[in-house]
Amino acid sequence: RLHVAAPAFVLLIWAYVASASDAADNATDADDSIVTKNGEEDLAAFVSALLFNGGACFSCAVAFTALLRWFPKMYGNNLPTGTLPARTIPEMCSWVRASWTVSTTVVAETVGLDSAMLLEFCSLCMRIAGVLTVP
């Protein structure tokens, strides 16, 4: 275990020395920075980005729904084979409800542990992002 701890200890010391040597430069870096506080015109940029990103997400959802209808074997092959639970009914946006209500246990039993762990990882990332971004 020493061979693993030694590089970590060296990295900690290097980070401490680097931060101590740059402490004097930080005061001048803040003055030279071009970062400014939010202004009134920033709201328009925020709303524009929000509308564009929301439209992009909506477009992807519509495209997936259309592709699911046009290519059912490619995007929804587990439904006719009986792999999915019986509660899934093929309708326009049934994939939204099915994806939000499925449990990790059902995913592990039907499509494998790798897929279940991927969903758990994505869920963990969403929770971390929510904790970090909510003021």
Side-chain angles (χ1 to χ4, degrees), residues 112-135:
L113 185 61
D114 288 341
S115 298
M117 293 305 294
L118 176 66
L119 289 177
E120 277 298 313
F121 177 73
C122 290
S123 176
L124 173 68
C125 290
M126 286 189 297
R127 282 184 269 154
I128 290 173
V131 167
L132 291 177
T133 57
V134 173

Side-chain angles (χ1 to χ4, degrees), residues 65-81:
T65 302
L67 289 171
L68 180 62
R69 291 287 179 192
W70 292 337
F71 305 105
K73 283 195 171 226
M74 177 63 88
Y75 295 104
N77 196 37
N78 290 335
L79 188 60
T81 60

Side-chain angles (χ1 to χ4, degrees), residues 52-100:
F52 179 78
N53 292 330
C57 289
F58 180 75
S59 299
C60 287
V62 168
F64 179 75
T65 302
L67 289 171
L68 180 62
R69 291 287 179 192
W70 292 337
F71 305 105
K73 283 195 171 226
M74 177 63 88
Y75 295 104
N77 196 37
N78 290 335
L79 188 60
T81 60
T83 307
L84 292 177
R87 69 173 190 256
T88 306
I89 301 168
E91 50 190 46
M92 187 62 167
C93 288
S94 62
W95 61 270
V96 175
R97 184 183 56 210
S99 63
W100 279 105

Side-chain angles (χ1 to χ4, degrees), residues 6-43:
F9 182 70
V10 170
L11 286 174
L12 283 174
I13 291 176
W14 177 77
Y16 175 74
V17 170
S19 67
S21 66
D22 291 339
D25 294 336
N26 284 342
T28 59
D29 289 344
D31 296 334
D32 297 337
S33 174
I34 59 171
V35 176
T36 60
K37 292 185 177 183
N38 290 337
E40 291 180 13
E41 65 276 356
D42 292 338
L43 180 62

